[in-house]
């Protein structure tokens, strides 16, 4: 009992976020008369928020280094426009178009990173400038028009599902199998970790607690895949996000680079005197943000099936909100990839739920603002109490 | 005799899980300088916070009787109105504002809703004169040295009609000269009838000026000495502070210095990073033998930290010239990484700004400068990290429930141990320690000294930079004196005392030999 208390109190932040997410989900499930958690709508939420989650990954890392990027919305629009020109107007092969778009994203990130890391201009100013520059260039590139439609193979990235090779009819068998497989992989992974911890005498939780954790995780994974299976199964973009999540979560947690990023954000002076090239770290963090913005731009263009001048407006704020609701601190050094996903989902469910309820965009914005404020207030009060 | 101006009776203050003050009794006579001594965590600061209203009435038990009245201070303003002003160890000055603006910060001189600049300036001048500072009050705080900043803080206290002045470690950041001045000033204040409570770790200073000394330990009053009426020695105070005898302030080392120069700096020249005409270090030559501890003595501004940082991956200065030899071979450190790779470690003087990531835990702080050791192809082996850093924690006796403890919550001594641990983790041959015991208490100092000695016994070579001359003399085998960027002398430990060092530190042409 004591250990359980300890685990909970050590992880209130993470638990708190997940609990908030669950509460919001249940609330809207009720308010929308059960529409929110239908298989169709869950799939929708994933599709609608895929690009915000991608941006939140990048933004989280930028925020951890103690910086900010206001230009991501404009970059989403600009890269969308470029991809429209390349794929629709120039008829380039899809792969080439995607590759070039990501490259442009990286270049924009490098541009931001250069001013922030090497010239030492505050990121707020640099990316405010980029926000204007690339919104303007989007209009120039598109000539104020919309480019559409995109080739189908390009759109599949944001709209297609993994086909069911088992022909399950109403139930997507492959999806259920993926759920089962994931469960097994997860259990093996956790078990090996635990053995390893024991080997090195790291504190481990009791057996019953460990089993309870595995059971809960298994239930969540399989319920989720079962729900998805009742509709079209797993969206390609979900697979993409899943793998990108794994990459970033392990990068931040398990690599030297991740540790350097946290250190630079936690105390740049100390990091530098520990042999970390903080300029380089910051530069690459912005390049990374640029690439993820480009990817989000491509997915958004594909989902809309159009490159429009107004694409991505306000995305930077959604991404920042997601990272902050997920526990990132604007002073740097604090935040988790998992938290950013939860934060993005909180924002996503709010958007989706309120839309279903027919609440206008005006009130939606106001309510989202209040939720953001509440989340951060909770965090600060909790820290004070501690 | 003189009246009791302040009496704190039966003060008990508890924080969740800790009893910071336990029935403390504390009496101050009017017009005296009363020193408050104790290790870090003994409760000195908490007691002063209770007195000044930072911990408001009601959050503690006991009575504060000031000038015969029972006081219930609800905040700092309440106590300041009565003339009780505290000058904290960490300055509360705003670098971008002028001296005058800082003095009257929160207490602005106003005429019909607008700031009365003439009044502000002229009053500041008066106050500065009182503290013996002859500077234009329009000078920005960032443009004056720490010693002067401390005086501005005191001038600020005077602007509040101070009757009882509380100074928390006022000389911690000051060099010997400035400290000396400050102490003289305290004696002057005493003549003017101001009562002072002096919190200090530096017992020689305490003895220089105090009339009474009260020792706190573990939140309890141990004893109050009256310096005039009884014979008190430093050892008695130290014994009271730590609760045991410390026969020697500096632990004994089994010397094993080899006749082998492991590190050498030749003709080292460094210029100021912004003002590249200004030479900070001039033809510095330093040698270090294996297993040796070498001290560098110099006043603030002599270029001690600049020397260390310019060597350590050129983290300070421009137009750096000169040669570095490690084990007889010439090496170049373009970056901190190069220096670390070549087995050099630098423990900075400001552990909070330059040493630790305060929001991070002990484990991550220790491993930070040598993540290669616990990683494979850039992938961290977290279990290995756990055991390795746990080893360091045990070896250095870092007091914390676990290595996952956030460093911001540790005491100064333990924080310093974490920083030392971080650099020990890089397995260096040369350690440059910049003010390794600044702001930490006697007990923790002793432990840090023991660690330093152990490192030297293992064959590592150590450079200690310190403002505390007894520490340099107590710990080093040889001492270099540095004055205005020039090495003015090289001394064997046996041949020097504080005075000799001071002569060389203040005279650029080297101490004139008698």
């Amino acid at each position: 009992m004591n250990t359980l208390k300890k685990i909970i109190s050590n992880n209130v932040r993470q638990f708190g976020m997940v609990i908030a997410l669950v509460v919001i989900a249940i609330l809207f499930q009720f308010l929308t008369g059960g529409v929110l958690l239908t298989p169709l709508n869950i799939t929708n939420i994933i599709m609608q928020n895929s690009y915000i989650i991608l941006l939140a990954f990048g933004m989280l890392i930028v925020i951890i280094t103690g910086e900010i990027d206001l230009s991501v919305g404009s970059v989403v629009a600009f890269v969308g426009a470029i991809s429209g020109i390349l794929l629709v107007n120039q008829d380039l092969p899809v792969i080439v178009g995607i590759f070039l778009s990501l490259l442009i994203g990286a270049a924009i990130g490098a541009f931001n990173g250069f001013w922030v890391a090497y010239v030492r201009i505050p990121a707020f100013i640099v990316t405010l400038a980029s926000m204007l520059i690339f919104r303007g260039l989007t209009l120039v590139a598109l000539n104020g028009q919309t480019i559409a439609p995109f080739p189908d193979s390009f759109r599949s990235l944001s709209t297609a599902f993994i086909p069911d090779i088992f022909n399950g009819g109403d139930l997507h068998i492959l999806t259920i199998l993926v759920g089962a497989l994931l469960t097994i992989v997860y259990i093996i992974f956790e078990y090996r970790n635990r053995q390893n911890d024991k080997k090195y005498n790291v504190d481990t939780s009791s057996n019953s607690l460990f089993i309870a954790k595995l059971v809960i995780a298994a239930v969540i994974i399989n319920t989720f895949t079962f729900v998805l299976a009742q509709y079209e199964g797993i969206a390609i973009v979900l697979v993409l996000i899943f793998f990108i999540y794994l990459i970033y979560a392990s990068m931040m947690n398990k690599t030297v680079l991740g540790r350097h990023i946290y250190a630079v954000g936690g105390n740049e002076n100390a990091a530098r005197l520990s042999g970390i090239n903080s300029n380089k770290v910051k530069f690459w963090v912005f390049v990374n943000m640029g690439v993820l913005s480009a990817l989000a731009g491509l997915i958004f263009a594909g989902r809309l099936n159009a490159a429009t001048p107004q694409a991505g407006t306000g995305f930077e704020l959604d991404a920042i909100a997601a990272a902050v609701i997920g526990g990132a601190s604007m002073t740097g050094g604090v935040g988790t990839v998992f938290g950013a996903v939860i934060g993005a989902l909180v924002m996503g469910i709010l958007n989706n739920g309120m839309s279903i309820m027919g609440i206008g965009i005006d009130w939606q914005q106001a309510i989202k603002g209040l939720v953001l404020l509440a989340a951060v207030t909770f965090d600060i009060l909790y820290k004070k109490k501690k | 005799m003189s009246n009791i101006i302040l009496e704190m009776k039966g003060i008990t203050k508890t924080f969740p899980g800790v009893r910071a003050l336990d029935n403390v009794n504390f009496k101050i006579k009017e017009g005296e300088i009363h020193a408050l001594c104790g290790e870090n965590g003994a409760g000195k600061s908490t007691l002063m916070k209770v007195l000044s209203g930072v911990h408001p009435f009601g959050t503690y038990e006991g009575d504060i009787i000031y000038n015969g009245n029972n006081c219930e201070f609800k905040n700092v303003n309440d106590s300041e109105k009565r003339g009780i002003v505290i000058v904290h160890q960490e300055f509360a000055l705003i670098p971008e504002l002028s001296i005058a603006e800082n003095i009257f910060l929160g207490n602005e001189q106003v005429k019909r809703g607008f700031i009365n600049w003439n009044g502000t300036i002229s009053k500041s001048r008066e106050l500065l004169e009182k503290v013996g500072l002859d500077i234009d009050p329009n000078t920005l705080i960032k443009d004056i040295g720490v010693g002067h900043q401390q005086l501005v803080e005191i001038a600020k206290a005077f602007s509040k009609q101070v009757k009882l002045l509380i100074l928390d470690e006022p000389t911690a950041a000051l060099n010997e000269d400035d400290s000396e001045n400050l102490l003289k000033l305290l004696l002057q204040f005493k003549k003017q009838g101001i009562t002072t409570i002096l919190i200090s770790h530096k017992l020689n200073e305490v003895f220089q000026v105090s009339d009474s000394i009260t020792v706190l330990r573990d939140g309890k009053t141990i004893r109050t000495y009256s310096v005039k009426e009884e014979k008190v020695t430093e050892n008695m105070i130290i014994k009271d502070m730590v609760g045991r005898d410390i026969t020697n302030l500096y632990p004994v080392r089994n010397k094993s210095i080899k006749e082998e120069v492991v590190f050498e700096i030749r003709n080292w020249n460094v210029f100021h990073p912004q003002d590249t005409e200004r030479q900070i270090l001039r033809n510095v030559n330093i040698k270090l033998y294996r297993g040796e501890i070498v001290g560098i003595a110099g006043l603030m501004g002599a270029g001690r930290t600049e020397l260390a940082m310019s060597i350590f991956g050129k983290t300070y200065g421009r137009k750096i010239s000169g040669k570095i030899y490690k084990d007889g071979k010439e090496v170049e450190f373009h970056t901190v990484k190069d220096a670390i790779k070549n087995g050099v470690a630098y423990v900075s003087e400001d552990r909070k700004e330059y040493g630790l990531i305060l929001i991070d835990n002990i484990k991550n702080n220790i491993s930070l400068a040598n993540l290669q050791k616990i990683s494979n192809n850039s992938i961290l082996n977290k279990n290995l990290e756990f055991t390795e850093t746990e080893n360091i924690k045990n070896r250095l006796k870092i007091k914390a429930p676990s290595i996952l403890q956030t460093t911001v919550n540790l005491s100064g001594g333990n924080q310093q141990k974490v920083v030392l641990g971080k650099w020990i983790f890089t397995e260096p041959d040369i350690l440059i320690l910049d003010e390794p015991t600044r702001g930490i208490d006697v007990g923790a100092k002793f432990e840090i000294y023991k660690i330093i000695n152990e490192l030297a016994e293992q064959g590592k070579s150590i450079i200690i930079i310190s403002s505390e001359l007894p520490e340099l003399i107590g710990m080093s085998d040889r001492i270099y004196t540095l004055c205005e960027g020039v090495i003015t002398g090289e001394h064997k430990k046996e041949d020097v005392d504080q005075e000799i060092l001071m002569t060389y530190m203040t005279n650029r042409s080297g101490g004139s030999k008698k």
Side-chain angles (χ1 to χ4, degrees), chain B residues 114-225:
Chain B
F114 291 96
I115 292 202
N116 173 4
W117 283 113
N118 292 333
T120 303
I121 301 289
S122 64
K123 277 190 195 162
S124 301
R125 249 191 217 116
E126 277 167 36
L127 292 166
L128 289 177
E129 204 173 306
K130 262 194 188 165
V131 298
L133 198 57
D134 182 24
I135 314 186
D136 180 7
N138 289 310
T139 318
L140 299 189
I141 290 293
K142 63 173 183 178
D143 296 330
I144 62 176
V146 231
H148 287 170
Q149 288 179 6
Q150 180 66 269
L151 294 177
V152 171
E153 277 280 7
I154 294 172
K156 188 173 162 185
F158 273 88
S159 75
K160 292 165 186 159
Q161 308 298 325
V162 64
K163 293 199 189 71
L164 176 60
L165 179 65
I166 306 165
L167 298 171
D168 191 356
E169 294 286 348
T171 59
L174 304 191
N175 62 31
E176 302 255 340
D177 266 356
D178 288 339
S179 305
E180 195 65 29
N181 280 337
L182 186 79
L183 296 176
K184 276 186 200 147
L185 202 60
L186 292 187
L187 293 172
Q188 267 181 43
F189 295 163
K190 189 170 127 185
K191 279 183 203 147
Q192 294 163 21
I194 291 170
T195 315
T196 307
I197 299 177
L198 174 68
I199 300 178
S200 180
H201 281 128
K202 298 183 183 168
L203 292 181
N204 56 334
E205 295 178 356
V206 166
F207 275 94
Q208 210 176 322
V209 296
S210 314
D211 303 301
S212 313
I213 301 172
T214 294
V215 180
L216 287 185
R217 185 174 78 225
D218 302 329
K220 295 190 183 79
T221 336
I222 301 301
R223 244 190 103 166
T224 296
Y225 295 94

Side-chain angles (χ1 to χ4, degrees), chain A residues 20-83:
Chain A
L21 179 66
V22 171
V23 168
I24 290 174
I26 292 171
L27 179 72
F28 278 103
Q29 171 73 351
F30 179 70
L31 289 175
T32 57
V35 178
L36 186 85
L37 297 181
T38 55
L40 165 68
N41 196 48
I42 287 192
T43 306
N44 262 337
I45 293 177
I46 292 167
M47 302 276 217
Q48 278 169 4
N49 290 291
S50 52
Y51 34 88
I52 298 294
I53 295 176
L54 286 173
L55 292 175
F57 288 148
M59 191 64 78
L60 170 85
I61 298 173
V62 170
I63 289 176
I64 288 175
T65 56
E67 305 292 348
I68 192 84
D69 191 342
L70 300 177
S71 70
V72 298
S74 297
V75 178
V76 162
F78 184 69
V79 170
I82 296 292
S83 68

Side-chain angles (χ1 to χ4, degrees), chain A residues 196-197 200 202 253-256 259-260 263 266-267 269-270 272-276 332-334, chain B residues 312 336 340 352-354 356-357 364 367-369 371 375 378-380 382-383 385 387 422-423:
Chain A
N196 216 355
D197 281 355
Y200 281 93
V202 178
N253 250 322
K254 298 202 166 87
T255 69
V256 171
R259 204 52 83 68
H260 284 185
N267 182 346
N269 287 328
R272 260 196 227 177
L273 280 180
S274 302
I276 296 169
V334 180
Chain B
F312 194 62
V336 173
I340 296 175
K352 287 184 179 160
E353 268 302 307
Y354 292 94
L356 288 172
I357 294 173
N364 292 357
S367 64
L368 185 64
L371 289 171
S375 62
S378 277
I379 308 289
L380 298 173
K382 291 197 151 190
N383 293 313
E385 180 183 30
T387 43
K422 163 169 135 180
W423 289 107

